[in-house]
Amino acid sequence: MARYNPKETEPKWRSAWDKAQVFKAGPPAPGQPKYYVLEMFPYPSGRLHMGHVRNYSLGDVIARFKRARGFNVLHPMGWDAFGLPAENAAMERGVDPRAWTYDNIDRMRSELKELGLSIDWSREFATCDVAYYGQQQAWFLDLFKAGLVYRREGVVNWDPVDQTVLANEQVVDGRGWRSGAVVEKRKLNQWFLRITDYADDLIDSLKTLDRWPDKVRTMQENWIGRSKGARFAFRWADGPAAGFEDGLEVYTTRPDTLYGASFVGVAPDHPLAEQIAEKDPRAAAFIAECRRGGASEAEIETAEKIGFDTGLTVAHPFDPDWKLPVWIANFILMDYGTGAIFGCPAHDQRDLDFARKYGLPVTAVVLPPGEDPAAFRVADEAYVGPGTIFNSRELDGLEVEPAKAKAIARIEAQGQGDGATVYRLRDWGVARQRGWGCPIPVVHCDRCGVVALPRSALPVALPDDLDFGKPGNALARHPTWKTTTCPDCGGPATRETDTLDTFVDSSWYFARFTNPEFPEPIDKAAADYWLPVDQYIGGIEHAVLHLLYARFVTKALADQGMLSVHEPFAGLFTQGMVTHETYRRQGGEWVEPREIEIEAEGKTRRARLVGTGEPVVIGDVEKMSKSKKNTVAPEEIFEVYGVDAARLFVLSDSPPERDAQWSNAGVEGAWRFVNRVWAEFESQPQGVAAAAAGDDPGALAIRRGAHRLIKAMTEAIEGFRFNSGIARLYEFLNLLKEHKAEGASPAVLAARAEALSAFARLIAPFTPHLAEECWARIGGSGLVVSAPWPDYDPALTQDAVLTLPVQVNGKRRGEIQAPAGAEPADVEKMVLDDPEIARRLEGLTIRKVIVVKDRIVNIVAA
RNA sequence: GCCCCAGUGGCGAAAUGGUAGACGCGGUAGACUCAAAAUCUAUUGCCGAGAGGCGUGCUGGUUCGAGUCCGGCCUGGGGCACCA
């Protein structure tokens, strides 16, 4: 028997698909539903890694399944191709970033094609294609006109390694998301997209995304961080500070605790604090001290609360004779709310710590349920729970929520402020001081200021001769590119040399895929047909980055009339990472998996270096990374086991949302399966027609198994339980082996023929090349990729006679055989007549017999 | 600190409130082989010779019946975080 040879079959079938153009998305067809499957497009690093193999295999299962189910499927691929790695490669190796990127794309395209993905390659583009980013500039200008783009000086996150500004979302734990460098604060002119205009919509419509993981929705909700409260001004008690004649505006979520106020505080970089510092060197010294503190988690946790009494006082809004001191305090943040607060120490831990340190009063105004108002005191722990307001004059006796409403109403009546909603979300800073990106299509004119280019001036293309040889912005130092004329006055002007964040590039590519040739950014007819993406697949690491930006841009473009959908991704699936065991030599150096061999004896496993036999320590299972040397190169796996075995293993071992552990033994298991499948098809005599089984028990077992399998696979794929589905394939293969073709009756052979026809189609989404080879072997018509998904007969998914477990007092004590659908009363009689059960019931009195139809019997006895 | 998720054999994992451990990996024994690899067969949760007993992080509860539902706790992972 010939061993299955993927090296021969896999390329053969890929070119067959290619020739038949089977993966090209069709035009809108009446009566045929559409399905848009998209995996997050890759950065063209030049190398396919196992994470890609997993991500794209997952999407491919869905795409192939939906095709087989009769959907008009769109499954495109492109390249997120701008960004720093190209610039770094350029600087380190003196190559041109453009050439480097397109070379990488060529290499990765051929690797992805080798994976046998059902991609419509006719729609491929890279974000660094002028044809793409020129269209991006077009809609950027539309947003500019709509007031959704603005430029202002502000404090921004500066990544000193990548030498560029970062958005808040791109700073993780005080460090740049890509470089890992500690981010600095800098004051810069910066371009922003007004994502905060959409804060409410972005939160509220999360509710409609019922095919998104709760986790991602929660993360976005937290990130946007909506809080409801009041914004109001404290009036000055001793004459106004210059520039603050209307008072000092604060934000609070707890207006109900106003009678517990004991001070008002401002952030060290609040304009009032800066004004005071100009005249008072002690205040200036205090502010300088605050700035020294770092922004990392550990530093914040241990940082002591410190303050500076400005000597200014304000009046309590509800009692003009009540004076409150104004402090500068290090724990108040300038970029949240108004940068100023009132301190209520009894009901806020930070305020309490601060008040204890500086001897400020602590007055409890919320009485916890069941506490005695005369005796209740706050010691070291602020009380933040529910309760009844007391010590608060007209608010006394109210619960927290009504008290908030009443306080806000009074503030509003006094004209001092109003109820307000505040967000943690900041506007999206999109300018990057980098040369390998989409140029921002505006010019700076001495006379007219910042001028947006007209559409006719697009695309603003990158020059071909950028010098990436040294750090910094290659575009800004180009000798001639930025010199231009003002489209308004015709006078001399310079081009903006900042480029757009690459997250802008990826925030609309899914819409461009619907018609990548269109002369406008988006072909509305095509987008209306294909969008939203029915199933989007990618890593959880983009939960608040790409996925938030893409939602925002979709809403903004929809408001410009360019799109009809307000959400880009109807279904989202976040897949886990690919991990591997780590190995280290005694000295601690990491060792690659290919350099070791594992031996097992009983339950213990040992690893040794190949060749020397030096023992190696088996370490934790971790995400594949070059630094820990626990990577496995996909192309080496393809070479040994073929693409199908790799695809199968990466889908079979863990549920797709969880991390999958790669192991050599595991892929060998998948390889065994591939060979056993092929052996099963080879052993079947050719030309046997599928036929109804009659009552041959073997044939019936095969048919029942097959129909059960079809049902299970259909449900498993719909529910993203690929690992369970694949387990059922293995199970069914074991069943087929019990009913070998060799020496089988005609009835069994006919049942096998029916089963194998279904089986070839069921494995097609997972091991598409093998499926074609099997399909051809049994004389299936056309390509299996175009064959319809098999149907099942519900009547055949159940056995005629069932084995029902019998429990006594909830413990399994035996079993009986009963026909499917047997009436509970009949089953009860059978159970009580059973001698083995009767033995178990000796000396007991039966109180109750529960029969769950076709399931279980439980006898309650004492 | 707040929010979310997860704890099941040696390992990856299954299990609409109804036979816990499907399926795979690994192990053990055997067949084939001069031998090995590959392949095939059997077996494999734990304790026990067996009958049987015990088992889904711990602990209470609901239920005829709980891995699954509810309460409390422990451990691990993730997100947010001096956010007023």
Side-chain angles (χ1 to χ4, degrees):
Chain A
M1 183 181 65
R3 209 167 152 78
Y4 181 69
N5 184 355
K7 273 192 203 160
E8 219 167 78
T9 58
E10 291 183 346
K12 178 178 73 187
W13 293 114
R14 283 198 292 273
S15 60
W17 299 328
D18 214 27
K19 209 168 144 198
Q21 294 275 298
V22 276
F23 303 129
K24 222 169 158 169
Q32 189 188 22
K34 67 93 185 177
Y35 203 88
Y36 187 176
V37 193
L38 185 66
E39 303 96 45
M40 291 180 187
F41 66 165
Y43 178 80
S45 60
R47 266 269 139 84
L48 200 68
H49 55 68
M50 278 302 172
H52 292 125
V53 173
R54 188 173 196 211
N55 188 209
Y56 299 116
S57 297
L58 280 169
D60 202 43
V61 170
I62 301 294
R64 286 175 177 272
F65 173 71
K66 290 292 178 183
R67 269 180 52 83
R69 299 280 274 177
F71 288 83
N72 185 17
V73 170
L74 173 57
H75 187 210
M77 180 63 69
W79 310 96
D80 189 13
F82 272 135
L84 272 160
E87 291 197 39
N88 292 338
M91 197 155 56
E92 285 158 22
R93 283 176 259 160
V95 294
D96 174 45
R98 186 189 314 258
W100 182 86
T101 302
Y102 282 106
D103 281 353
N104 283 349
I105 287 174
D106 287 343
R107 200 166 321 130
M108 283 183 78
R109 184 193 303 108
S110 69
E111 288 185 313
L112 281 180
K113 285 194 169 174
E114 196 182 346
L115 252 184
L117 303 173
S118 60
I119 300 279
D120 179 353
W121 286 101
S122 71
R123 291 168 189 257
E124 177 195 356
F125 60 76
T127 57
C128 63
D129 297 342
V130 185
Y132 181 79
Y133 71 75
Q135 297 298 341
Q136 182 164 300
Q137 291 167 337
W139 67 251
F140 182 86
L141 290 174
D142 289 343
L143 297 196
F144 188 88
K145 278 183 217 124
L148 288 169
V149 179
Y150 66 96
R151 188 170 190 256
R152 69 164 163 82
E153 181 167 81
V155 178
V156 297
N157 310 300
W158 178 262
D159 186 320
V161 168
D162 285 351
Q163 300 230 343
T164 187
V165 166
L166 296 177
N168 286 0
E169 289 80 9
Q170 294 155 24
V171 178
V172 180
D173 220 359
R175 290 168 181 274
W177 71 289
R178 229 193 54 79
S179 71
V182 174
V183 163
E184 299 163 9
K185 293 285 174 191
R186 282 205 185 176
K187 243 182 188 172
L188 273 182
N189 261 312
Q190 166 70 320
W191 290 92
F192 292 93
L193 287 183
R194 235 178 258 286
I195 190 171
T196 52
D197 275 14
Y198 289 85
D200 277 318
D201 192 4
L202 286 167
I203 283 195
D204 294 337
S205 46
L206 284 172
K207 284 196 272 298
T208 68
L209 301 176
D210 54 348
R211 289 199 297 119
W212 278 45
D214 290 342
K215 183 184 166 82
V216 175
R217 290 193 289 181
T218 309
M219 281 166 72
Q220 293 212 355
E221 198 173 334
N222 289 343
W223 184 263
I224 298 165
R226 178 162 62 191
S227 90
K228 292 199 164 116
R231 195 192 332 242
F232 64 96
F234 278 92
R235 291 186 179 134
W236 299 104
D238 308 308
F244 296 91
E245 284 77 10
D246 292 338
L248 181 58
E249 195 174 52
V250 300
Y251 172 74
T252 182
T253 56
R254 296 297 303 272
D256 55 310
T257 65
L258 253 171
Y259 284 105
S262 69
F263 65 97
V264 168
V266 300
D269 38 0
H270 191 279
L272 178 65
E274 289 176 350
Q275 188 187 111
I276 291 166
E278 278 171 27
K279 287 175 215 143
D280 184 343
R282 289 180 309 134
F286 172 78
I287 292 168
E289 192 188 337
C290 292
R291 286 194 179 143
R292 265 199 297 279
S296 78
E297 197 177 333
E299 281 163 316
I300 286 167
E301 205 121 290
T302 52
E304 201 182 350
K305 301 212 172 6
I306 51 173
F308 177 86
D309 188 350
T310 63
L312 298 170
T313 55
V314 292
H316 192 283
F318 299 164
D319 182 350
D321 296 330
W322 182 351
K323 289 187 184 181
L324 295 165
V326 176
W327 288 68
I328 304 170
N330 67 337
F331 66 93
I332 302 169
L333 306 174
M334 188 57 221
D335 54 1
Y336 186 79
T338 62
I341 61 155
F342 79 82
C344 177
H347 304 294
D348 183 289
Q349 192 59 46
R350 293 155 301 178
D351 297 349
L352 183 62
D353 295 344
F354 190 75
R356 291 296 183 215
K357 176 157 181 186
Y358 292 104
L360 296 162
V362 178
T363 312
V365 292
V366 181
L367 186 67
E371 288 282 345
D372 174 6
F376 179 66
R377 295 282 179 280
V378 167
D380 295 329
E381 212 167 300
Y383 179 72
V384 295
T388 312
I389 305 298
F390 72 131
N391 293 334
S392 295
R393 308 186 198 179
E394 79 275 13
L395 300 180
D396 281 353
L398 293 173
E399 295 301 301
V400 167
E401 286 308 318
K404 281 182 184 172
K406 191 167 179 185
I408 291 172
R410 183 165 173 190
I411 286 166
E412 286 176 351
Q414 292 175 190
Q416 274 178 268
D418 43 31
T421 304
V422 165
Y423 306 87
R424 214 183 70 92
L425 183 70
R426 300 278 75 115
D427 274 337
W428 176 16
V430 293
R432 296 291 176 272
Q433 292 67 47
R434 306 301 329 174
W436 185 234
C438 169
I440 295 175
V442 304
V443 301
H444 300 272
C445 170
D446 288 341
R447 250 194 296 174
C448 313
V450 173
V451 181
L453 288 168
R455 270 215 183 187
S456 58
L458 298 185
V460 177
L462 292 170
D464 292 329
D465 55 346
L466 285 172
D467 167 21
F468 287 94
K470 41 186 187 262
N473 186 348
L475 207 47
R477 64 170 172 261
H478 188 275
T480 56
W481 180 79
K482 61 178 173 246
T483 308
T484 185
T485 53
C486 172
D488 280 6
C489 72
T494 45
R495 293 188 187 281
E496 171 63 64
T497 59
D498 282 358
T499 54
L500 288 170
D501 184 359
T502 56
F503 281 105
V504 176
D505 308 340
S506 56
S507 65
W508 71 292
Y509 76 108
F510 45 87
R512 185 70 183 165
F513 273 139
T514 64
N515 184 351
E517 315 268 304
F518 202 63
E520 299 280 313
I522 292 165
D523 173 359
K524 191 142 186 261
D528 283 354
Y529 175 66
W530 286 113
L531 291 179
V533 173
D534 296 279
Q535 188 62 60
Y536 197 38
I537 302 168
I540 186 81
E541 67 272 19
H542 287 293
V544 286
L545 285 159
H546 163 59
L547 289 168
L548 186 65
Y549 297 142
R551 292 182 63 220
F552 157 62
V553 168
T554 299
K555 288 174 190 301
L557 295 182
D559 285 351
Q560 299 310 305
M562 298 169 76
L563 287 173
S564 298
V565 293
H566 288 257
E567 284 292 341
F569 313 122
L572 172 69
F573 191 87
T574 53
Q575 101 274 11
M577 297 178 303
V578 179
T579 62
H580 197 289
E581 270 182 341
T582 52
Y583 310 102
R584 311 182 84 149
R585 297 174 61 183
Q586 307 297 328
E589 312 94 280
W590 302 103
V591 179
E592 285 186 36
R594 52 191 290 186
E595 295 176 279
I596 59 136
E597 54 196 352
I598 304 254
E599 55 208 50
E601 199 187 306
K603 287 168 187 174
T604 54
R605 294 167 71 238
R606 273 181 227 92
R608 295 181 178 284
L609 276 185
V610 177
T612 66
E614 179 190 324
V616 167
V617 179
I618 301 177
D620 290 341
V621 173
E622 300 193 57
K623 181 184 180 175
M624 283 191 180
S625 75
K626 280 182 203 151
S627 62
K628 302 220 166 111
K629 290 199 176 174
N630 62 338
T631 57
V632 172
E635 64 267 23
E636 289 175 21
I637 299 298
F638 299 166
E639 177 67 22
V640 179
Y641 304 104
V643 165
D644 282 339
R647 287 174 56 127
L648 184 70
F649 173 57
V650 86
L651 295 170
S652 70
D653 216 34
S654 296
E657 68 276 12
R658 233 180 279 179
D659 287 352
Q661 190 182 332
W662 183 273
S663 73
N664 202 49
V667 74
E668 282 190 12
W671 170 234
R672 268 196 287 274
F673 174 82
V674 166
N675 280 292
R676 284 168 49 194
V677 168
W678 178 238
E680 215 46 69
F681 276 83
E682 267 214 316
S683 71
Q684 175 79 0
Q686 285 173 299
V688 175
D695 51 6
D696 181 289
L700 215 48
I702 293 168
R703 293 202 79 204
R704 288 222 158 88
H707 284 256
R708 259 199 290 257
L709 177 69
I710 296 167
K711 180 171 192 277
M713 287 304 291
T714 308
E715 289 167 359
I717 295 176
E718 298 271 14
F720 269 91
R721 293 187 308 273
F722 300 154
N723 56 324
S724 297
I726 292 168
R728 302 301 295 267
L729 293 174
Y730 276 86
E731 200 173 34
F732 185 70
L733 191 66
N734 290 340
L735 177 75
L736 278 183
K737 282 174 70 172
E738 286 170 28
H739 301 278
K740 287 193 197 335
E742 231 169 71
S745 66
V748 165
L749 282 178
R752 280 178 53 97
E754 184 200 19
L756 290 174
S757 165
F759 196 77
R761 286 174 281 164
L762 295 177
I763 63 174
F766 304 94
T767 56
H769 313 85
L770 173 67
E772 293 290 1
E773 193 68 18
C774 293
W775 186 248
R777 163 83 200 182
I778 58 171
S781 84
L783 292 166
V784 75
V785 71
S786 299
W789 193 250
D791 290 320
Y792 63 87
D793 176 355
L796 282 171
T797 59
Q798 205 181 30
D799 283 325
V801 176
L802 302 174
T803 302
L804 303 185
V806 180
Q807 297 182 331
V808 176
N809 294 329
K811 287 192 196 299
R812 189 176 186 279
R813 289 297 182 230
E815 57 187 38
I816 57 150
Q817 308 288 317
E823 287 307 314
D826 300 336
V827 174
E828 178 172 341
K829 190 168 178 309
M830 288 170 65
V831 168
L832 297 179
D833 288 348
D834 189 279
E836 174 64 14
I837 308 292
R839 189 181 69 79
R840 291 295 196 160
L841 290 169
E842 260 169 42
L844 297 174
T845 311
I846 296 169
R847 304 245 186 257
K848 199 172 169 187
V849 177
I850 294 134
V851 178
V852 182
K853 201 171 185 177
D854 292 345
R855 272 284 177 191
I856 199 167
V857 181
N858 192 11
I859 301 167
V860 186

